Amino acid sequence: MPERDDLDALCAAHGIVRGYEDVWGRRHEASEAALRGLLAELAAGGEPPAAPPGPLEPAPPRTWRPPAIENGGRVWGIAAQLYALRSERNWGIGDFADLGPLLEWCAASGAAALGLSPLHALFAHDPARASPYSPCSRRFLNALYIAPDAVPEAAAAEAFAQLISSPRFAEEIGKARQSKLIDYPAVAALKFRALEALYADFRARHLARGTDRATAFREFQAREGEALRLHALYEALQAHFHGADPAAWGWPAWPAAFRDPRGEAAQRFGRERLERVEYYEYLQWLAAQQLAAAGAHSARLGLGVGLYLDLAVGADRGGSDVWSGQGLYAARASIGAPPDDFNLRGQDWGLPPLRPGALRAARHEPFAQALRAAMAQAGALRIDHVMGLMRLWWIAPGAEPRDGAYVRYPLEELLDVVARESHRGRCLVVGEDLGTVPGEVREALARRGVLSMRLPWFERDAAGELRPPRDFPPDALVTASTHDLPTVAGWWQGHDLRLRRALGLFPDDGAFEAQLAERARDRARLLRALAREGRAVSRPEALADALHEQVAAAPCAIALLQLEDLLGLVEQANLPGTVEQHPNWRRRLPADWLRRLQSEPLRRLAARIGALRRGAPR
């Protein structure tokens, strides 16, 4: 066991912050065993360099801003879960074609932005792994969002037409459409059968004949280069090994010879099964085309921001990003969060962290590539857990989340990367900085033009009262809730607290009762805050509108309304701290969601929101 002074010196050398102060003001320090576990993970990547090898590309001083929010402009938008959108034409999951009607509603209502949770590639072999924040790859897209009927091959592909017109297939689509929750395995089985038929037609009618469409595909392959080929090779290998053994959950469970993406075994597989590898490249091409079409549609409609997309904080340890970049990751450690009011046990997100030293040795190019891919069709990009640019909560193998420690990252260098990619992609950047955030992070974000995020629940004065949104900073995005938090209706009813108690997420009944009592006090605080601004609420059902108007009156550059709150829904999209216990990322909107959005009460609300956005001073 190292001496205390030696351990302190090792932690300092590797950027480990031994202690922290929690949200209740209590000081915590990781155990020596946990710290030794983290040091082992960091040291596995070699000694961290003091600086990247060679000078980095010069960076603009600030990130790019769209004209809509320059010079005091203030806009609003809505946030939605793409998978949750119902339509008469989709196959039981919202798809890229479903964005059209929602973008048109935004344009007609005066909204400038449509926010979506990450669209990253997940796991084709295991579609039930539905969290967009635990992706297979942050550089590529989820093929389940492809709309098969919108693929150009669909118009003439006979096998596709026969498949979707068969009574059995039509019946299965009908069942998927009627399902209350998304049945990911059923949807994936339907879509991948159809996409296989479309790919076969594409090879026969385009690749074999060298058509213009074939040329466009080859240009996409060349443009995306090795990253696309390795992702597609991963998909083909994972399908192969999982088909032979359902326990093959990801590349660490493959035969050893195939775990090296550039080794002879993997490369030979790719050569011998080139047509199969190109199938997965074809899926990425289709997804990129359809997302680009949605982005172009938002531009034609005149949305001032357009698609507001999301970059997850990391990638799954069994996925293609980690397989193709193994030296970059501490593959046995995890990132998460220390205990807080919403997660009393802390959080373990199960994602391996990037090693700061390896990232610097690569001149931060892996981070730049993830940003570039996410910004390709985005008018704005949210960087999840943006404090990770300065520090991440690392959890050693086998340790509990509360026994983790912060590991530091080169904040200014990473912000240089963000600024360069923001200007390259002409993309506004929002940093998700909710919760306990070091002042250093928020100061740096403000200096570099990255919008902060503000939620009324998290903004308190010394007495615990809710600060009025009119006091929030202009360089921010303000919203009443997020996908990880209760909806307005669910919060008001205390539904989230009762749900967390039923799922065993409180350490004891005393903690539940304490939070229940605090929620009652918070309801009173919210009513007082609204009344002080002339928005007194006499009926619970009027609360969401009053809160949306309060948020819209804030001086922040963007006000974002959750689609679930506009529809008055109680259930939230995701309950942090759960995996199988709660239907995270599976809830669908009511069948009449679009008609309800077009109702007269919501038309009037949109008009009031627009007037407040135009009228409140910055």
Side-chain angles (χ1 to χ4, degrees), residues 241-276:
F241 289 121
H242 186 262
D245 179 6
W249 56 273
W251 67 268
W254 298 350
F258 292 88
R259 296 175 198 165
D260 179 357
R262 297 167 183 84
E264 175 56 27
Q267 291 298 310
R268 184 173 63 252
F269 181 97
R271 292 191 297 271
E272 293 174 352
R273 294 168 174 81
L274 180 60
E275 184 172 322
R276 195 67 196 155

Side-chain angles (χ1 to χ4, degrees), residues 134-197:
S134 299
C136 176
S137 173
R138 296 194 295 172
R139 287 200 57 185
F140 297 101
L141 294 167
N142 185 351
L144 285 185
Y145 288 140
I146 296 170
D149 56 312
V151 174
E153 282 73 59
E158 293 182 6
F160 173 78
Q162 291 173 0
L163 176 68
I164 64 172
S165 63
S166 70
R168 179 65 182 273
F169 198 83
E171 180 184 353
E172 292 301 316
I173 290 178
K175 286 180 181 178
R177 283 180 183 149
Q178 296 303 315
S179 176
K180 181 179 179 181
L181 299 174
I182 295 171
D183 185 342
Y184 280 100
V187 169
L190 292 168
K191 283 212 170 182
F192 289 133
R193 282 182 66 193
L195 291 168
E196 293 267 13

Side-chain angles (χ1 to χ4, degrees), residues 486-562:
T487 63
V488 172
W491 182 91
W492 180 262
Q493 296 173 21
H495 175 76
D496 59 307
L497 299 180
R498 290 188 291 274
L499 179 60
R500 286 163 57 200
R501 183 193 196 189
L503 296 177
L505 300 182
F506 285 101
D508 51 55
D509 283 346
F512 166 72
E513 295 296 340
Q515 287 212 8
L516 201 61
E518 183 63 18
R519 180 63 56 84
R521 290 189 286 271
D522 275 348
R523 283 196 292 267
R525 290 178 180 124
L526 177 59
L527 293 177
R528 287 196 296 272
L530 291 170
R532 283 193 298 269
E533 297 185 7
R535 305 182 198 282
V537 175
S538 58
R539 298 174 295 109
E541 55 269 27
L543 176 68
D545 284 5
L547 188 55
H548 287 148
E549 291 180 23
Q550 184 198 44
V551 159
C556 304
I558 301 177
L560 199 67
L561 282 54
Q562 303 294 314

Side-chain angles (χ1 to χ4, degrees), residues 20 53 73 94 145 236 245 258 288 315 319 342 353 377 395 429 490 541 615:
Y20 78 100
Y145 288 140
D245 179 6
F258 292 88
F342 286 92
Q377 305 303 332
I395 304 162
V429 180
E541 55 269 27

Side-chain angles (χ1 to χ4, degrees), residues 433-520:
D433 58 346
L434 303 174
T436 305
V437 185
E440 180 183 349
V441 171
R442 279 191 165 159
E443 291 165 9
L445 295 179
R447 187 174 65 254
R448 303 304 292 270
V450 176
L451 295 190
S452 178
M453 287 188 70
R454 291 292 188 272
L455 267 78
W457 318 125
F458 293 173
E459 302 292 328
R460 310 285 180 121
D461 63 20
E465 293 294 308
L466 299 176
R467 290 177 54 215
R470 66 170 177 268
D471 292 344
F472 294 174
D475 284 347
L477 178 150
V478 60
T479 182
S481 187
T482 75
H483 57 266
D484 279 339
L485 295 174
T487 63
V488 172
W491 182 91
W492 180 262
Q493 296 173 21
H495 175 76
D496 59 307
L497 299 180
R498 290 188 291 274
L499 179 60
R500 286 163 57 200
R501 183 193 196 189
L503 296 177
L505 300 182
F506 285 101
D508 51 55
D509 283 346
F512 166 72
E513 295 296 340
Q515 287 212 8
L516 201 61
E518 183 63 18
R519 180 63 56 84

